[in-house]
Amino acid sequence: MKRDLIDVKDYTSAEIKALIDSADKLKKHKGKLRADLKSKSVALVFQKPSNRTRVSFEVGVYELGGFGLYLGPNEIDLGKRESTHDVAKTLSRYVQCIVARVFHNHDILELAKHADVPVINALCDLYHPCQALADIQTIREKFGKFKGLTVAYVGDGNNVFHSLMNACVKVGIHVRFAGPKGYWPNPEIVNEAKKVAQENKCTVELMHDPQAAVNGAHVLYSDVWVSMGQEKETARRIKDFKGYQINAQMTKYADKNYIFMHCLPAHRGLEVTADIIDGKHSVIFDQAENRLHAQKAVLLKLIK
């Protein structure tokens, strides 16, 4: 039976840890060509542009011996030029996996429902599971463990936070979120994560005070305040997020050996100052590289 990756919440703690172990092994031999996906093809269906996601998947498929076929908005316009059902059924006759970067979660669910091959969510409005796997791989890489750590996410409770939170609670990392009113994460997703956190002896806390969230935290995490498609809201969002910038003053409250993370692209001077994102505590490019290794681990698990 085929398996999809809609979000990390659908995987057990053991499965997630196994994926991270696999990613670590792949990283030790980075750049080495393998033949695991020989004679197999992966369709990259992208409704929105990307740097890290497209490049890391194309390179990852190539390094595993397969062929990655990029299908941008001009080639496939899901649900408009052709129904998502028909796209899923047609691609299933040509390729062994579909990687989709879409605007809406229902598009991923529809693809997964009708595709006869695995579907990997490369980003939607609710989740970003591949980013989250790379994130927790990076965290363990830097601290050598999951248990006992605290991640403080300051900013918008978006798709990146949802998957990061879901990944953290699966492996026992405490999560704190700080954001202004009107920008908190989806309450249903939070409540589900809290149940998993309780099982794994960690916590999920939501608050408005960023200083309280950062206090003693081992990982400080930020994302853009204005995401793709929200450009018309720029002025309002900058006003609403005043006080939520990660800067030198904010980091004084973190653990002395904290790391700073950001999924990129970043807006220096808005959600984070240049001295922090480019400073000695920043691991943003290790994090970006690990997208490649984590996604290769997912491809190996799902494509048979």
Side-chain angles (χ1 to χ4, degrees), residues 75-266:
E75 286 83 21
I76 294 183
D77 200 354
L78 285 177
K80 294 181 181 178
R81 193 172 69 83
E82 187 173 6
S83 72
T84 303
H85 169 278
D86 289 0
V87 170
K89 288 297 184 185
T90 300
L91 288 178
S92 295
R93 299 297 180 99
Y94 300 140
V95 303
Q96 284 67 53
C97 181
I98 299 171
V99 175
R101 182 179 174 90
V102 300
F103 287 107
H104 304 294
N105 182 246
H106 63 74
D107 288 324
I108 281 288
L109 294 176
E110 191 76 0
L111 275 172
K113 178 181 178 181
H114 299 294
D116 300 315
V117 298
V119 171
I120 297 173
N121 181 4
L123 178 140
C124 67
D125 56 340
L126 283 184
Y127 304 112
H128 199 352
C130 295
Q131 180 66 55
L133 289 171
D135 291 343
I136 62 171
Q137 180 188 1
T138 307
I139 290 171
R140 191 174 73 173
E141 199 172 66
K142 301 305 177 184
F143 293 100
K145 62 179 182 177
F146 291 129
K147 294 286 187 179
L149 299 177
T150 297
V151 170
Y153 182 103
V154 178
D156 189 6
N158 56 17
N159 50 1
V160 171
F161 175 72
H162 289 157
S163 289
L164 175 67
M165 171 179 63
N166 287 337
C168 285
V169 298
K170 288 284 186 176
V171 296
I173 299 175
H174 301 288
V175 179
R176 296 186 197 141
F177 168 87
K181 184 179 180 180
Y183 297 94
W184 277 29
N186 182 298
E188 292 182 11
I189 295 175
V190 171
N191 288 336
E192 188 176 349
K194 284 184 174 181
K195 293 176 183 176
V196 177
Q198 192 170 20
E199 294 171 4
N200 292 318
K201 296 181 173 57
C202 57
T203 57
V204 174
E205 300 175 88
L206 274 61
M207 58 198 75
H208 290 296
D209 183 358
Q211 181 179 319
V214 167
N215 189 38
H218 304 89
V219 180
L220 307 189
Y221 201 117
S222 183
D223 192 7
V224 292
W225 294 342
V226 184
S227 296
M228 193 182 305
Q230 299 173 334
E231 289 80 7
K232 292 181 179 179
E233 304 173 25
T234 299
R236 176 173 61 82
R237 282 176 167 263
I238 290 175
K239 180 181 177 182
D240 292 345
F241 282 102
K242 185 178 180 181
Y244 288 90
Q245 181 187 75
I246 294 184
N247 51 38
Q249 181 60 35
M250 182 90 66
T251 60
K252 288 180 181 178
Y253 299 98
D255 182 87
K256 67 177 183 178
N257 295 315
Y258 82 91
I259 59 173
F260 173 77
M261 303 182 76
H262 194 300
C263 60
L264 300 177

Side-chain angles (χ1 to χ4, degrees), residues 46 50-57 101 122 128 291 295:
F46 279 44
S50 164
N51 175 4
R52 280 152 296 279
T53 301
R54 177 181 176 178
V55 174
S56 57
F57 264 112
R101 182 179 174 90
H128 199 352
R291 287 288 301 277
Q295 288 162 190

